[in-house]
C-alpha cells in the first residue's frame, strides 16, 4: 500500500511538470474598460506600479480604440516614471505622442519624457553626489530638447513654465560641462581644443553665465598661441558685454603668459 501511494504521488508530480503551473486567474475578465482603468488607478494610488502597468496593458489590448486606452498609455508612462525607469518611461511617452499627436494631454507626455531624462542618474552618481555638469551631457541635451519641443509646440501649456525653468538649469549645466572640458584642455596646452569648446558655449548657450568664462579662456588661449589679433578682438567683446568683469580689474599679474591660470581661479570660487 505504501508503494502504491508513493507511485501515485510521483505520477501526480510528473503531471504537474508536464502540464505546467496552474494559470493565474484573470481578475479583469469580462470587465468594462472603465472598470479596468479604475483598478489600474487604484494600484497607482497604492504605489503598486507593476500591477498598475499590467492592468493598463490589459485594458489597451482589449479596448484599443476607446478613450480609456489612450489614458492608460499615458498612465503607463507615468508608472514607469514613478518606478524610476527612464528608458521605459520615454518609450511609453514617445508611443503616446506618435499615436495621439492631437490628444489634449499630449503636452504632458512631452513633459513627462523630459522629466524622465532630467531625473536620470546612475548608482555611482548618487553615491558620489556627482554634480549634474559632470555627467554625460547626452542625457542632459536630450532632456533640454524635449522641454524645448514642449515649450515650442505648446507655449500655453500649464507645464511650459516649469519646462522653461528646467531648460535654463540644463543650459547652465551643459555650459559648465563644456567649460570644464575647456579648462582640462588648457591645462594640457591643447589650446585649439579649448577654444573650440568655448565657441560651442558662445554659439549654443549664449544666455548662460558661462559665456564670460568662455571669453576669458579664449583670450588666454589666443595669448598663449601668439594670436594677438584674435586675442584683442575677444578682449573687446568681453569689455563690451562684461564691463565689470574681474578680468578687467587690476588683479591680474603682470606676466600675461600666466593670465589664464589667474582667470581660472576666479571662476572656481
Amino acid at each position: 500500500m505504501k508503494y502504491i501511494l508513493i507511485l501515485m504521488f510521483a505520477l501526480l508530480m510528473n503531471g504537474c511538470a508536464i502540464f505546467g503551473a496552474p494559470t493565474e486567474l484573470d481578475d479583469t475578465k469580462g470587465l468594462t474598460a472603465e472598470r479596468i482603468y479604475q483598478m489600474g488607478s487604484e494600484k497607482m494610488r497604492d504605489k503598486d506600479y507593476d500591477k498598475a502597468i499590467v492592468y493598463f496593458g490589459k485594458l489597451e489590448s482589449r479596448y484599443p480604440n476607446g478613450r480609456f486606452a489612450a489614458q492608460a498609455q499615458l498612465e503607463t508612462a507615468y508608472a514607469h516614471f514613478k518606478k524610476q525607469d527612464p528608458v521605459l518611461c520615454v518609450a511609453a511617452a514617445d508611443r503616446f505622442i506618435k499615436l495621439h499627436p492631437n490628444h489634449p494631454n499630449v503636452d504632458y507626455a512631452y513633459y513627462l519624457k523630459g522629466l524622465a531624462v532630467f531625473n536620470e542618474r546612475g548608482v555611482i552618481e548618487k553615491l558620489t553626489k556627482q554634480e549634474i555638469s559632470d555627467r554625460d551631457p547626452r542625457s542632459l541635451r536630450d532632456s533640454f530638447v524635449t522641454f524645448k519641443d514642449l515649450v515650442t509646440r505648446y507655449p500655453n501649456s500649464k507645464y511650459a513654465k516649469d519646462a522653461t525653468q528646467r531648460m535654463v538649469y540644463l543650459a547652465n549645466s551643459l555650459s559648465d560641462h563644456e567649460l570644464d572640458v575647456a579648462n582640462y584642455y588648457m591645462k594640457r596646452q591643447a589650446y585649439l581644443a579649448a577654444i573650440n569648446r568655448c565657441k560651442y558655449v558662445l554659439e549654443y548657450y549664449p544666455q548662460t553665465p558661462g559665456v564670460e568664462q568662455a571669453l576669458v579662456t579664449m583670450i588666454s588661449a589666443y595669448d598663449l598661441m601668439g594670436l594677438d589679433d584674435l586675442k584683442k578682438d575677444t578682449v573687446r567683446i568681453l569689455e563690451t558685454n562684461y564691463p565689470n568683469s574681474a578680468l578687467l580689474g587690476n588683479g591680474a599679474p603682470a606676466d600675461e603668459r600666466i593670465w589664464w591660470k589667474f582667470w581660472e581661479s576666479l571662476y572656481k570660487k
Side-chain angles (χ1 to χ4, degrees):
M1 183 66 178
K2 178 174 70 173
Y3 296 108
I4 294 175
L5 291 175
I6 294 174
L7 179 61
M8 291 176 64
F9 179 74
L11 290 172
L12 179 62
M13 293 300 294
N14 286 334
C16 292
I18 293 172
F19 295 107
T23 303
E24 182 180 353
L25 293 177
D26 186 354
D27 57 353
T28 65
K29 188 175 182 179
L31 298 181
T32 64
E34 183 176 6
R35 178 56 190 142
I36 300 175
Y37 179 78
Q38 290 173 349
M39 294 169 70
S41 298
E42 289 168 2
K43 291 302 178 182
M44 290 291 287
R45 288 193 292 271
D46 294 338
K47 299 182 179 181
D48 187 353
Y49 303 118
D50 288 321
K51 189 63 176 178
I53 291 170
V54 170
Y55 281 138
F56 293 137
K58 288 182 178 181
L59 189 161
E60 185 184 356
S61 65
R62 292 180 194 170
Y63 306 97
N65 300 318
R67 65 184 181 92
F68 288 104
Q71 191 61 32
Q73 293 166 8
L74 202 55
E75 292 287 357
T76 297
Y78 182 64
H80 286 305
F81 173 75
K82 295 298 290 182
K83 286 183 62 182
Q84 298 184 356
D85 191 336
V87 175
L88 291 180
C89 176
V90 169
D94 277 337
R95 181 168 178 265
F96 180 88
I97 292 169
K98 182 178 180 180
L99 293 175
H100 312 284
N102 299 316
H103 193 281
N105 293 327
V106 71
D107 59 332
Y108 177 68
Y110 280 100
Y111 180 66
L112 195 58
K113 177 183 173 183
L115 280 182
V117 184
F118 183 87
N119 292 335
E120 182 179 0
R121 296 188 65 192
V123 174
I124 300 299
E125 294 174 50
K126 292 178 181 179
L127 291 177
T128 60
K129 297 182 179 180
Q130 183 180 12
E131 293 293 332
I132 191 169
S133 61
D134 295 331
R135 293 166 49 184
D136 179 354
R138 182 176 58 182
S139 63
L140 303 182
R141 292 193 189 103
D142 288 345
S143 183
F144 181 88
V145 169
T146 302
F147 286 133
K148 184 178 179 180
D149 284 343
L150 167 60
V151 173
T152 303
R153 294 170 184 265
Y154 309 99
N156 297 321
S157 168
K158 63 181 178 181
Y159 307 108
K161 181 178 179 180
D162 183 72
T164 300
Q165 292 174 341
R166 292 178 187 274
M167 285 173 62
V168 171
Y169 175 76
L170 287 166
N172 290 342
S173 299
L174 286 164
S175 174
D176 289 344
H177 172 82
E178 295 297 328
L179 292 172
D180 286 343
V181 177
N183 286 335
Y184 171 87
Y185 285 136
M186 288 294 290
K187 291 176 181 179
R188 282 151 185 79
Q189 301 181 3
Y191 304 128
L192 183 59
I195 289 170
N196 288 334
R197 289 287 182 164
C198 293
K199 286 183 176 179
Y200 190 89
V201 171
L202 300 182
E203 181 176 358
Y204 290 99
Y205 312 114
Q207 304 301 323
T208 64
V211 168
E212 181 182 2
Q213 184 179 347
L215 291 170
V216 165
T217 303
M218 290 175 66
I219 293 168
S220 173
Y222 287 137
D223 177 65
L224 291 166
M225 293 173 71
L227 301 175
D228 290 338
D229 289 343
L230 291 174
K231 170 188 168 184
K232 291 177 181 177
D233 288 342
T234 310
V235 168
R236 281 195 292 269
I237 295 173
L238 180 69
E239 290 173 337
T240 301
N241 292 278
Y242 300 95
N244 298 320
S245 174
L247 168 66
L248 303 174
N250 299 319
D255 185 357
E256 292 186 354
R257 308 301 291 182
I258 59 172
W259 273 10
W260 77 269
K261 292 183 179 180
F262 168 74
W263 297 339
E264 182 185 63
S265 68
L266 294 177
Y267 297 97
K268 285 191 172 181
K269 293 180 181 179

